[in-house]
Amino acid sequence: MEDVLPISEIADASDAGAIKKAAHIIRSGGLVAFPTETVYGLGADAGNPRAVARLFEVKARPRMDPVIVHVADIETAKRYGKFPESANRLMKKFWPGPLTLIVEKKPSVPEIVTAGLETVAIRIPNHPAALALITAARCGIAAPSANPFGYVSPTEAQHVAEQLGDAIDMILDGGSCIIGVESTILSMVSSIPCILRAGGTAVEELESILGKLDVSIGSLQRPNSPGQLKRHYATKTRMEIVEEGFERIAPGERVGLLSMIPPLNPEKYAAVEVLSASGNLREAAANLFRALRHLDALPLDRIIARPVGEEGMGLAIMDRLRRCSTRE
Ligand code: TXA
Ligand code: MG
């Protein structure tokens, strides 16, 4: 698309006219940020290699990192990938929803989408504006999270506007994302399905259907899901994960605290973000990235995050905190 606007338009995602316009932009090879239940995605026509190439440029994302194809129904999903029998139950139960399946790709998927892999990542997002956009565009939409590569994912339209607003064509504002962490990625190409990224669908829920799964989250020798890169979802300010009562704060040091529940001594910290006063892990996940962005916008020397239990959404939360706190 040649007539790229200098600052992208932010439009109400519940407005039918805005969806129509966004769909037109996608079909013309442009880039539209749109809400999903997990995080905001930055979408391009999955069948248009030039448009997808622009996605990579805008995000400064390495070309070796494949993107997810978003579709609105199972039939369309099957045009992009070859789904094994065992995937049928998952698609019926978890789609639309925060589960991405990796399957063997069909020849029609451009190489740039899958970074040359023989597999493709596909999901149906559970958000009315995302589904309306995909349906109106009449194509699969390739969409990574709408943030510069390696930074915290956006859970509000404003997050996208601040970082990518002048480089993309339109932002659909659908309010805050309900899940707040990215989809769970499950590879269906090995004989035992394998979790590549913890996310919005709990591993326990998947195992209740498929039995014990392999887990290869952040296996770091040779990432085959670059979301497995060690340092990712990272704040500019250094972050550490420290249990309550084990931290040392130097005199004058400005520390921001990210905690599930209110701390015992709030006066020790320059800023405090509470993720869920009632200790609910789903609520905590929904607040996580916004809280990290708040803290990262302040003049702090350090951010301290309290660990959470690794059941349910806790696994995805701890995964994001670990990656954010990794220095290399
Ligand atoms: O919730 C989500 O999944 C969000 C929303 C926008 O849908 N999207 C998202 O996209 O998180 P992104 O690009 O930030 O993360 C997608 C991850 C990357 O780590 C990528 O390496 C992995 O999916 N991936 C994509 N295709 C793959 C493939 N064929 N094999 C293994 N991993 C793949
Ligand atoms: Mg991402």
Side-chain angles (χ1 to χ4, degrees), residues 36 38-41 59 61 65-68 70 100 102 117 119-121 123 143-145 182-183 185 196-197 224-228:
T36 80
T38 58
V39 300
Y40 275 74
K59 277 184 61 98
R61 178 182 177 112
D65 192 354
V67 292
I68 299 171
H70 297 69
T100 294
I102 309 281
L117 297 176
T119 56
V120 60
R123 85 175 188 105
S145 51
E182 299 82 352
S183 59
I185 300 183
L196 300 182
R197 177 174 74 182
N224 55 10
S225 177
Q228 299 184 325

Side-chain angles (χ1 to χ4, degrees), residues 65-193:
D65 192 354
V67 292
I68 299 171
V69 178
H70 297 69
V71 295
D73 54 74
I74 293 177
E75 233 172 271
T76 314
K78 290 181 175 172
R79 290 217 305 267
Y80 290 94
K82 297 179 195 161
F83 289 82
E85 181 58 35
S86 53
N88 284 326
R89 282 169 73 197
L90 294 178
M91 293 192 279
K92 282 202 190 99
K93 183 162 165 64
F94 294 103
W95 282 359
L99 176 67
T100 294
L101 296 178
I102 309 281
V103 296
E104 199 185 321
K105 88 178 190 78
K106 292 251 174 100
S108 59
V109 184
E111 239 179 56
I112 187 167
V113 170
T114 61
L117 297 176
E118 286 308 310
T119 56
V120 60
I122 305 178
R123 85 175 188 105
I124 304 183
N126 188 16
H127 192 292
L131 293 171
L133 174 64
I134 298 163
T135 306
R138 299 192 307 276
C139 59
I141 295 188
S145 51
N147 52 282
F149 184 73
Y151 193 66
V152 179
S153 296
T155 54
E156 292 175 10
Q158 197 52 40
H159 298 162
V160 183
E162 280 160 18
Q163 292 188 302
L164 300 177
D166 54 2
I168 64 181
D169 303 308
M170 189 174 182
I171 299 174
L172 290 172
D173 184 351
S176 299
C177 300
I178 285 176
I179 303 281
V181 291
E182 299 82 352
S183 59
T184 299
I185 300 183
L186 182 67
S187 171
M188 301 299 291
V189 290
S190 42
S191 54
I192 299 174

Side-chain angles (χ1 to χ4, degrees), residues 10 19 34 46 48 77 98 108 126 138 167 182 188 251 267-269 282 311-312:
I10 303 188
I19 295 287
F34 62 99
N48 180 339
S108 59
N126 188 16
R138 299 192 307 276
E182 299 82 352
M188 301 299 291
E267 66 285 351
K268 290 203 307 196
Y269 308 100
R282 287 211 162 264
E311 68 281 345

